[in-house]
């Protein structure tokens, strides 16, 4: 079944301009997610980065709802008394009825209000609520599934919160509640069953069953229509979770997903077509144009003690959850082995260092790695000692009015010190692949694959591998840098995921001006293909994992990497400039309009007497698109998605053909200026909103 794509609701021309602001004083927005002030995965990033824009739109009427986790609250939340009298009465009533509900400000950009519910404190109600869930929905939750038990507690408590808020309001309120993922979905189902005056939105960031199926190495996207979803969920012992997710999707006034490819997945697995796609954004901060961050970090990386030229060294990385197949670590390793062969056969002087930043279970740092750091420090101390001795002799020579005799500035003792330091760096074994001691070394997927392909960081290999199984931190003794600093120090991010509903890692690379490789099975990859005529010219390489076999996709990835290794330094700088210019496409001030439209649609469905939603017919255009740059470096004829490649002799011609400022100005006209708050109420005008009329489906309950 082909992934047919009509005019996407994420087309940047698909939403009309909103000139008049809507008075939100009589409307309240609750955004509910398990990852509010509780970092677990990518949803935390979505909510944290979007909070500032949403707070600007809704002001004091915006509340985030999440679980109370004491360790997180101590560092992220300032607990205060509720400023809204209705909310204060609501929280006091719940606390007096056997709950523990906290109120405060989340200390992030925008400082949004947060309502945190202690689910453990109300665990005594779990059996009663599970019985009620069975009676209402025929969904049974097993006692051993702690995560599902938490979802039951959280769902009933959030529904209680919304119902109590409506009851405490003096006038009928217009409440909008957006629920993220299945862990929060039960609250939505209960709101609809209890007929609360709440406009509900359910956003799925990845379907449960889809993630499990892809992890099982099935041909997922070519067989979406053939899956027996009930049987597949039951076989994987997630049937109760799947039922909670599917119920939330069908009960919501508005159902959204984060990408077009996840929308297709949801249509077949959850049996409802999303009303609108709400792509994930970031708060874009412009960086100074520094293209040689690699040199700043090189010494931190070089605990491997390898003899190669740093000027001819390329840093690649993959990062994310340790899902070996879903995240594409398997195909990346295989492509690295083939790249190593090509570089050696072509006698290339380029060295590739590939980092795998994927947290896994470890028990300590690798001794050889720590020893390498100690040797590096010794080299640094030796260099400082010789430098001080050299400086002293230079000063003494200048003091007497004589130019120094350079041949006499370093004496025999200096050379002895430096030779001893060099000899100390010599090692009898190869540098370690993994920076830590793995708890399950013999069964670790990455290490077993490394053993199979034979990339052990030998001096003859042009590709070196570093597996760092923990999150990056500036306090780490091995890689003392934060993730953002690390990314800025790399040349290319590689994310050949098979299952990636959105893809924050390539999006973060783009915002920071780092080229990346993603796939046409990721939400990010599909979004970029839609809005960029030639993604590869802008440093966005799209790997085909939909219509090609694994071996063909691996060959294509190898080609991307090999062509990238052939780029000159100037070509990489041009490409990084172009990549960073795409950051406007990913700014929440652009992508936030889809969340605004979803709330708009939900209000119109829940309160038709007050709000009206009139979808516009899709335009004939397919959205704003960055055209293929006319200037060099162009893509080779052999592949539209390949890297630019020209010989060094052509650089003089490039200087004449490439004008950075002119090209940047042309790119800037391809995207609108940001704007906010698209609402109007019925008393003033009819609401106008988003693009695709096909996206508006009837409410399914």
């Amino acid at each position: 079944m082909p992934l047919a794509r009509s005019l996407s609701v994420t087309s940047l021309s698909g939403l009309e301009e909103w000139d008049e602001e809507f008075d939100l004083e009589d409307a309240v927005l609750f955004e509910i997610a398990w990852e509010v002030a509780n970092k677990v995965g990518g949803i935390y990033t979505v909510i944290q980065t979007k909070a500032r824009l949403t707070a600007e739109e809704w002001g004091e009427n915006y509340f985030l709802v999440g679980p109370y986790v004491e360790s997180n609250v101590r560092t992220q939340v300032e607990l205060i008394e509720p400023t809204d009298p209705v909310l204060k009465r609501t929280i006091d009533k719940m606390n007096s009825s056997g709950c523990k509900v906290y109120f405060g400000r989340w200390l992030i950009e925008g400082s949004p209000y947060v309502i945190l519910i202690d689910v453990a404190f109300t665990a005594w109600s779990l059996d009663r609520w599970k019985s009620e869930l069975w009676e209402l929905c025929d969904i049974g939750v097993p006692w051993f599934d702690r995560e599902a038990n938490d979802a039951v507690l959280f769902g009933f408590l959030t529904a209680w919160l919304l119902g109590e808020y409506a009851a405490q309001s003096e006038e009928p309120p217009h409440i909008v509640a957006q629920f993220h993922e299945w862990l929060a979905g039960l609250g939505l189902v209960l709101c609809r069953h209890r007929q609360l005056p709440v406009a509900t939105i359910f956003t799925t960031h990845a379907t449960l069953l889809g993630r499990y199926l892809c992890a099982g190495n099935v041909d997922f996207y070519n067989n979406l229509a053939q899956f027996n979803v009930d049987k597949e969920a039951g076989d994987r012992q997630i049937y109760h979770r799947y039922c909670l997710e599917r119920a939330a999707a069908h009960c919501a006034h508005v159902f959204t997903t984060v990408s077009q490819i996840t929308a297709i997945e949801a249509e077949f697995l959850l049996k409802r077509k999303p009303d609108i796609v709400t792509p994930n954004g970031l708060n874009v901060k412009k960086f100074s144009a520094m293209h040689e961050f690699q040199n700043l970090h090189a010494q931190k990386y070089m605990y491997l003690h390898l003899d190669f030229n740093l000027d001819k060294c390329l840093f690649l990385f993959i990062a994310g959850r340790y899902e070996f197949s879903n995240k594409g670590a398997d195909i990346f390793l295989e492509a690295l082995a083939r790249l190593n062969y090509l570089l050696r056969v072509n006698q290339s002087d380029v060295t590739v260092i590939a980092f795998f930043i994927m947290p896994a279970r470890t028990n300590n740092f690798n001794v050889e790695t720590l020893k390498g750091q100690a040797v590096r420090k010794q080299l640094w101390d030796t260099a400082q000692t010789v430098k001080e001795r050299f400086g002293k002799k230079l000063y003494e020579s200048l003091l007497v009015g004589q130019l120094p005799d350079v041949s006499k500035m370093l004496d025999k003792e200096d050379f002895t010190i430096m030779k001893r330091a060099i000899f100390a760096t010599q090692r009898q074994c190869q540098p370690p692949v993994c920076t830590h001691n793995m708890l399950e070394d013999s069964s670790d997927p990455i290490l077993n694959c490394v053993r199979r392909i034979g990339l052990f960081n030998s001096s003859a290999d042009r590709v070196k591998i570093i597996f760092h199984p923990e999150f990056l931190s500036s306090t780490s003794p091995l890689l003392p840098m934060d993730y953002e600093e690390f990314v800025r120090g790399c040349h290319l991010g590689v994310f050949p995921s098979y299952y990636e509903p959105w893809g924050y890692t390539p999006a973060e690379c783009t915002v920071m001006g780092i080229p990346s490789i993603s796939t046409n099975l990721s939400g990010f990859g599909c979004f970029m293909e839609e809005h960029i005529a030639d993604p590869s010219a802008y440093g966005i390489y799209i790997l085909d994992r939909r219509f090609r076999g694994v071996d063909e996709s691996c060959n294509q990835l190898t080609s991307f990497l090999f062509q990238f290794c052939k780029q000159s330094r100037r070509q990489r700088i041009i490409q990084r400039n172009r990549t960073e210019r795409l950051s406007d496409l990913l700014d929440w001030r652009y992508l936030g309009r889809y969340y605004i439209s979803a709330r708009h649609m939900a209000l119109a469905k829940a309160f038709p007497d007050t709000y009206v939603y009139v979808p516009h017919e899709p335009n004939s255009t397919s959205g704003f698109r960055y055209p293929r740059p006319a200037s060099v470096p162009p893509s080779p004829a052999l592949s539209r998605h390949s890297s630019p490649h020209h010989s060094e002799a052509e650089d003089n011609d490039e200087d004449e053909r490439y004008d950075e400022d002119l090209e940047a100005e042309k790119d800037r006209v391809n995207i609108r200026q940001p704007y906010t708050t698209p609402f109007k109420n019925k008393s003033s005008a009819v609401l106008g909103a988003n693009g695709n009329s096909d996206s508006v489906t009837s409410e399914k309950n």
Side-chain angles (χ1 to χ4, degrees):
M1 180 207 66
L3 298 184
R5 297 172 63 201
S6 59
L7 175 64
S8 172
V9 290
T10 58
S11 294
L12 293 181
S13 62
L15 294 181
E16 296 296 317
E17 296 281 4
W18 292 301
D19 299 323
E20 298 183 34
E21 293 189 358
F22 172 62
D23 184 5
L24 294 172
E25 289 185 0
D26 61 344
V28 179
L29 172 61
F30 291 88
E31 194 160 5
I32 302 156
W34 187 258
E35 296 194 35
V36 169
N38 178 39
K39 187 172 185 178
V40 178
I43 302 174
Y44 176 90
T45 304
V46 175
I47 295 170
Q48 180 199 40
T49 56
K50 185 173 62 66
R52 183 183 67 181
L53 184 68
T54 312
E56 289 175 1
E57 179 194 353
W58 289 80
E60 299 288 302
N61 292 344
Y62 174 49
F63 305 101
L64 287 159
V65 182
Y68 177 83
V69 181
E70 186 176 358
S71 59
N72 294 334
V73 171
R74 282 200 300 263
T75 58
Q76 299 184 46
V77 178
E78 177 191 9
L79 296 178
I80 59 175
E81 286 294 316
T83 56
D84 180 3
V86 177
L87 187 61
K88 183 174 180 6
R89 292 196 298 269
T90 300
I91 293 177
D92 290 344
K93 181 67 180 295
M94 291 183 67
N95 285 339
S96 64
S97 302
C99 301
K100 266 196 175 180
V101 182
Y102 301 84
F103 183 83
R105 282 195 180 275
W106 192 2
L107 302 179
I108 58 174
E109 286 189 81
S111 300
Y113 289 129
V114 288
I115 302 168
L116 302 176
I117 303 173
D118 191 342
V119 295
F121 189 79
T122 326
W124 52 272
S125 299
L126 180 61
D127 289 340
R128 174 167 59 90
W129 285 342
K130 287 169 73 170
S131 297
E132 185 177 344
L133 176 63
W134 174 257
E135 293 171 1
L136 293 178
C137 308
D138 292 335
I139 299 175
V141 177
W143 64 269
F144 56 81
D145 190 341
R146 181 174 178 178
E147 197 172 20
N149 288 334
D150 286 342
V152 171
L153 291 169
F154 190 57
F156 273 88
L157 287 166
T158 53
W160 185 353
L161 174 73
L162 295 172
E164 193 65 46
Y165 185 90
Q168 294 292 338
S169 300
E170 297 177 358
E171 299 180 359
H174 297 139
I175 301 173
V176 184
Q178 181 161 11
F179 298 81
H180 293 266
E181 283 291 314
W182 73 275
L183 278 164
L186 179 56
L188 185 153
V189 176
L190 294 172
C191 285
R192 298 307 307 279
H193 180 267
R194 296 172 183 177
Q195 298 182 348
L196 299 180
V198 178
T200 57
I201 305 169
F202 182 64
T203 300
T204 182
H205 297 256
T207 68
L208 270 169
L209 186 55
R211 190 179 296 279
Y212 274 82
L213 285 170
C214 287
N217 294 321
V218 300
D219 188 3
F220 179 66
Y221 293 98
N222 289 318
N223 294 283
L224 273 172
Q226 280 73 49
F227 288 119
N228 183 335
V229 292
D230 294 310
K231 180 181 183 302
E232 297 291 350
D235 290 346
R236 288 159 178 78
Q237 300 184 24
I238 58 166
Y239 186 68
H240 54 290
R241 298 186 180 195
Y242 168 75
C243 288
L244 289 173
E245 182 181 40
R246 182 168 170 177
H250 281 265
C251 288
H253 288 103
V254 173
F255 175 41
T256 80
T257 62
V258 297
S259 65
Q260 186 72 23
I261 196 160
T262 310
I264 297 169
E265 175 188 342
E267 185 176 356
F268 286 97
L269 299 187
L270 299 181
K271 307 303 180 182
R272 179 174 179 183
K273 183 179 180 180
D275 300 293
I276 187 171
V277 172
T278 52
N280 292 334
L282 289 164
N283 290 329
V284 175
K285 300 176 182 178
K286 297 299 182 182
F287 295 88
S288 57
M290 298 177 66
H291 302 288
E292 291 305 316
F293 268 72
Q294 298 81 15
N295 291 339
L296 300 179
H297 306 315
Q299 294 305 318
K300 296 180 183 179
Y301 297 149
M302 290 305 103
Y303 56 83
L304 287 176
H305 319 310
L306 297 172
D307 51 347
F308 49 78
N309 185 355
L310 286 177
D311 292 332
K312 293 288 186 177
C313 182
L314 297 179
F315 297 110
L316 280 54
F317 81 99
I318 183 174
R321 288 188 304 275
Y322 196 175
E323 297 179 9
F324 185 64
S325 298
N326 278 359
K327 293 296 183 183
D330 53 350
I331 192 173
F332 185 29
L333 281 166
E334 182 62 38
L336 287 174
R338 301 180 187 188
L339 175 65
N340 184 56
Y341 172 79
L342 290 175
L343 292 176
R344 293 180 64 176
V345 166
N346 288 274
Q347 298 181 346
S348 173
D349 57 354
V350 172
T351 299
V352 172
I353 299 181
F355 289 89
F356 288 74
I357 311 297
M358 291 183 158
R361 298 177 63 196
T362 65
N363 58 18
N364 211 333
F365 295 119
N366 186 297
V367 174
E368 284 296 316
T369 304
L370 291 175
K371 180 180 177 182
Q373 290 289 62
V375 170
R376 184 184 65 82
K377 185 178 184 302
Q378 182 182 357
L379 284 174
W380 175 259
D381 292 341
T382 299
Q384 294 301 309
T385 300
V386 173
K387 184 177 73 172
E388 289 176 3
R389 291 163 62 94
F390 183 94
K392 183 178 180 181
K393 294 175 184 177
L394 177 61
Y395 171 72
E396 291 173 348
S397 177
L398 296 175
L399 194 62
V400 298
Q402 295 180 355
L403 290 175
D405 185 352
V406 178
S407 62
K408 296 180 180 179
M409 296 301 289
L410 295 177
D411 56 25
K412 186 176 181 180
E413 184 179 354
D414 294 326
F415 281 102
T416 300
I417 294 174
M418 290 187 288
K419 286 179 180 179
R420 289 179 59 184
I422 293 174
F423 289 160
T425 65
Q426 296 178 356
R427 59 194 310 156
Q428 302 302 316
C429 60
Q430 293 176 345
V433 169
C434 187
T435 60
H436 292 63
N437 293 323
M438 304 293 293
L439 281 180
E440 300 173 352
D441 181 285
S442 61
S443 60
D444 182 79
I446 288 180
L447 295 182
N448 280 340
C449 188
V450 168
R451 295 180 185 114
R452 179 179 61 80
I453 62 179
L455 283 180
F456 299 119
N457 295 337
S458 69
S459 58
D461 287 329
R462 303 321 310 151
V463 174
K464 323 291 183 181
I465 294 176
I466 301 175
F467 178 26
H468 188 66
E470 69 174 14
F471 287 117
L472 294 168
S473 171
S474 58
T475 60
S476 170
L478 297 182
L479 289 178
M481 63 189 70
D482 293 325
Y483 179 74
E484 182 179 294
E485 183 185 10
F486 171 81
V487 173
R488 292 285 287 177
C490 291
H491 294 87
L492 181 70
V494 184
F495 314 104
S497 305
Y498 185 76
Y499 186 78
E500 192 70 78
W502 176 246
Y504 255 123
T505 42
E508 288 166 337
C509 284
T510 303
V511 169
M512 288 185 272
I514 307 300
S516 63
I517 298 175
S518 56
T519 76
N520 59 356
L521 295 181
S522 71
F524 172 84
C526 293
F527 181 84
M528 285 304 190
E529 273 192 320
E530 184 174 359
H531 297 297
I532 307 172
D534 185 5
S536 62
Y538 286 88
I540 307 296
Y541 299 89
I542 310 297
L543 184 68
D544 185 2
R545 295 204 65 180
R546 171 67 179 86
F547 299 107
R548 299 191 186 198
V550 175
D551 189 62
E552 290 179 291
S553 297
C554 190
N555 284 336
Q556 187 185 24
L557 177 57
T558 305
S559 175
F560 287 171
L561 297 176
F562 187 55
Q563 295 295 328
F564 189 83
C565 290
K566 290 182 177 182
Q567 285 184 341
S568 67
R569 178 178 176 274
R570 185 172 184 281
Q571 286 173 327
R572 291 198 301 270
I573 290 175
I574 292 173
Q575 194 174 62
R576 289 182 70 145
N577 285 336
R578 290 175 178 169
T579 302
E580 194 163 11
R581 289 203 296 274
L582 297 179
S583 60
D584 285 341
L585 279 173
L586 303 172
D587 196 325
W588 271 123
R589 293 201 173 274
Y590 297 93
L591 299 183
R593 69 188 73 181
Y594 303 108
Y595 276 87
I596 292 172
S597 187
R599 294 191 288 265
H600 179 171
M601 191 186 301
L603 280 169
K605 287 187 175 184
F607 309 107
D609 294 336
T610 307
Y611 305 98
V612 175
Y613 178 81
V614 180
H616 290 269
E617 291 296 325
N619 298 327
S620 59
T621 60
S622 60
F624 286 100
R625 286 171 63 86
Y626 280 77
R628 186 173 185 270
S631 57
V632 295
S635 299
L638 60 92
S639 172
R640 179 177 179 178
H641 293 295
S642 298
S643 302
H645 170 55
H646 284 271
S647 66
E648 299 290 342
E650 293 176 314
D651 284 347
N652 292 334
D653 183 52
E654 290 176 6
D655 290 335
E656 298 176 3
R657 295 172 59 193
Y658 179 72
D659 187 324
E660 169 69 23
D661 294 335
L662 179 61
E663 185 175 288
E665 184 61 33
K666 289 181 179 179
D667 281 343
R668 276 191 288 269
V669 304
N670 288 294
I671 190 166
R672 289 181 179 176
Q673 293 300 309
Y675 53 89
T676 57
T677 316
F679 291 104
K680 308 168 190 176
N681 61 17
K682 192 173 182 179
S683 61
S684 62
V686 175
L687 289 165
N690 103 23
N692 193 347
S693 61
D694 292 337
S695 69
V696 182
T697 62
S698 60
E699 177 189 338
K700 300 179 182 180
N701 186 2

